[in-house]
Amino acid sequence: MNEDDVLDLLRDVEDPSLDDDSEAQSASDHASGQSQRADIVSLGLVNDLDVDGDKVTLSLALGAPYSPTETDIAGRVREVLADAGLEPDLTAAIPDRNGGDVLPGVKNVIAVASGKGGVGKSTVAVNLAAGLSDRGARVGLFDADIYGPNVPRMVDADDHPRATESDTIVPPERHGMKLMSMAFMVGDDDPVIWRGPMVHKVLTQLVEDVEWGNLDYLVVDLPPGTGDTQLTMLQTVPLTGAVVVTTPQDVAVDDARKGLRMFGRHDTTVLGIAENMSGFVCPDCGGTHDIFGSGGGHDFADENELPFLGSIPLDPSVRQGGDTGEPVVLDDDNQTGEAFREFVAETADMVGLVHRRNASRPAKH
């Protein structure tokens, strides 16, 4: 069996998220009325292929480790090759995001943002990072909220960063995540009263001088709003995409819209919208109460043609998890934890979709 034979086998492996309406289809295909098949060969997701007897060494353009969709694609590839009596050796690779020296070992940087405070953005960021780590990914969590850093408390991080002889910073770890926060740098009750240039300098140092190592995901908890911190991160860090957090109420959605426009002006991909505090299930009567309204986040996503990443209920266990340092996403028996796990899976899938769209190219005829 040669390489062409293996490619024919791989044409049976489809990408469920990239179809003939995807951005991957070329203008010439549209003009000619031809539809590009959604298999990984036609989509150009096979980077490299080598056949040596019964062993097939294969590199795929998959960029979101432990995302459900990409895990299924890789599993299907192994299955198809194994059914043909071949031994697959799979790797994954995507083009370098920025070609520079900023975070060279980090595959994906996900910013978590909101237009206003009080919508649970940090809670969403912490549970996203912890959930990705729980799935098996190598994860870092960067608390970039200079003026109100809460992440160390929310993960019960007692250890502080260590400085090396080369003036780099070794971040502590908690729940399998590497952590960095301004809270490590100041006293518990000390306010941070800085102007923009100082914010820019410190954030740049915390990004570039920290030994993040090789990570699948770095989750960045941005402060609310559209100020100096957000601008510094957008200009400094090679973001894969952003998650915009809102509650269902109109006031929160109005402010989330401003955050969305900020990312648009800086050509940053928005992975989707997450709706926090979507409803309260009464533990006594079992009824659901829409304290902050209903459906605002979903409607906001539809209005802007963005993916809706999930709804997170208003649940005391979320608050308890944040206060005790045990993110609720890690509680397998908690229904709200399951909502967070679904949100984590959707977010990882969107990261993968972004990479596969970028890697796809028209089929060769």
Side-chain angles (χ1 to χ4, degrees):
M1 187 171 289
N2 58 31
E3 292 183 4
D4 287 339
D5 295 327
V6 173
L7 288 174
D8 284 339
L9 292 174
L10 295 177
R11 293 182 194 277
D12 287 334
V13 181
E14 295 189 351
D15 186 321
S17 302
L18 291 176
D19 55 26
D20 58 4
D21 292 324
S22 75
E23 298 175 8
Q25 189 170 353
S26 70
S28 60
D29 284 340
H30 280 297
S32 65
Q34 296 177 334
S35 291
Q36 179 174 324
R37 288 190 60 196
D39 67 85
I40 63 173
V41 176
S42 298
L43 290 170
L45 300 182
V46 178
N47 292 327
D48 197 17
L49 173 64
D50 181 70
V51 180
D52 184 6
D54 292 336
K55 185 174 181 179
V56 176
T57 303
L58 181 65
S59 172
L60 300 175
L62 304 180
Y66 300 95
S67 80
T69 296
E70 294 201 348
T71 298
D72 289 346
I73 290 174
R76 178 66 179 141
V77 167
R78 291 187 178 94
E79 179 183 356
V80 166
L81 295 180
D83 287 347
L86 300 172
E87 179 185 347
D89 181 11
L90 267 61
T91 58
I94 56 173
D96 187 19
R97 301 185 318 277
N98 63 334
D101 297 327
V102 179
L103 301 173
V106 179
K107 294 180 180 178
N108 298 289
V109 183
I110 305 174
V112 180
S114 66
K116 69 186 297 293
V119 299
K121 168 191 55 61
S122 292
T123 296
V124 171
V126 166
N127 280 276
L128 172 59
L132 289 168
S133 178
D134 192 51
R135 294 183 70 90
R138 298 168 299 178
V139 179
L141 177 56
F142 179 26
D143 182 2
D145 192 344
I146 292 291
Y147 300 107
N150 302 122
V151 165
R153 172 186 285 276
M154 298 176 74
V155 296
D156 192 25
D158 294 328
D159 295 335
H160 280 60
R162 294 184 295 104
T164 69
E165 293 181 358
S166 57
D167 293 327
T168 59
I169 303 170
V170 179
E173 295 190 23
R174 179 77 172 132
H175 299 300
M177 305 178 290
K178 294 183 177 181
L179 307 172
M180 183 49 59
S181 171
M182 190 62 204
F184 292 134
M185 307 299 175
V186 297
D188 291 340
D189 300 320
D190 293 338
V192 177
I193 308 173
W194 290 344
R195 296 186 185 274
M198 188 63 179
V199 171
H200 176 85
K201 179 179 179 181
V202 171
L203 280 175
T204 302
Q205 182 180 12
L206 291 181
V207 170
E208 297 181 353
D209 293 348
V210 172
E211 294 187 1
W212 291 109
N214 294 317
L215 298 179
D216 297 314
Y217 302 93
L218 177 63
V219 176
V220 180
D221 178 24
L222 292 176
T226 56
D228 289 331
T229 301
Q230 290 85 347
L231 184 60
T232 294
M233 297 304 293
L234 289 171
Q235 293 176 339
T236 304
V237 177
L239 293 178
T240 305
V243 173
V244 177
V245 181
T246 185
T247 61
Q249 68 185 113
D250 291 341
V251 171
V253 171
D254 287 345
D255 287 332
R257 189 171 288 109
K258 297 174 185 176
L260 184 61
R261 300 292 178 265
M262 173 187 68
F263 290 120
R265 290 180 182 179
H266 289 82
D267 296 325
T268 299
T269 299
V270 175
L271 301 172
I273 308 299
E275 184 183 84
N276 197 25
M277 308 180 195
S278 62
F280 173 68
V281 179
C282 176
D284 297 325
C285 69
T288 299
H289 305 275
D290 295 322
I291 296 174
F292 295 104
S294 175
H298 201 291
D299 292 343
F300 177 50
D302 287 345
E303 171 191 335
N304 291 279
E305 299 182 342
L306 289 169
F308 183 66
L309 300 175
S311 296
I312 310 300
L314 182 62
D315 186 342
S317 66
V318 177
R319 190 272 305 164
Q320 293 166 2
D323 286 348
T324 61
E326 296 291 332
V328 70
V329 70
L330 302 178
D331 186 350
D332 293 336
D333 298 323
N334 187 288
Q335 188 171 1
T336 300
E338 179 59 28
F340 267 119
R341 288 187 288 276
E342 292 175 1
F343 155 70
V344 170
E346 288 289 335
T347 303
D349 273 346
M350 283 307 305
V351 170
L353 179 57
V354 167
H355 286 309
R356 298 197 307 281
R357 274 180 175 165
N358 291 337
S360 296
R361 58 183 182 272
K364 295 180 181 180
H365 300 292

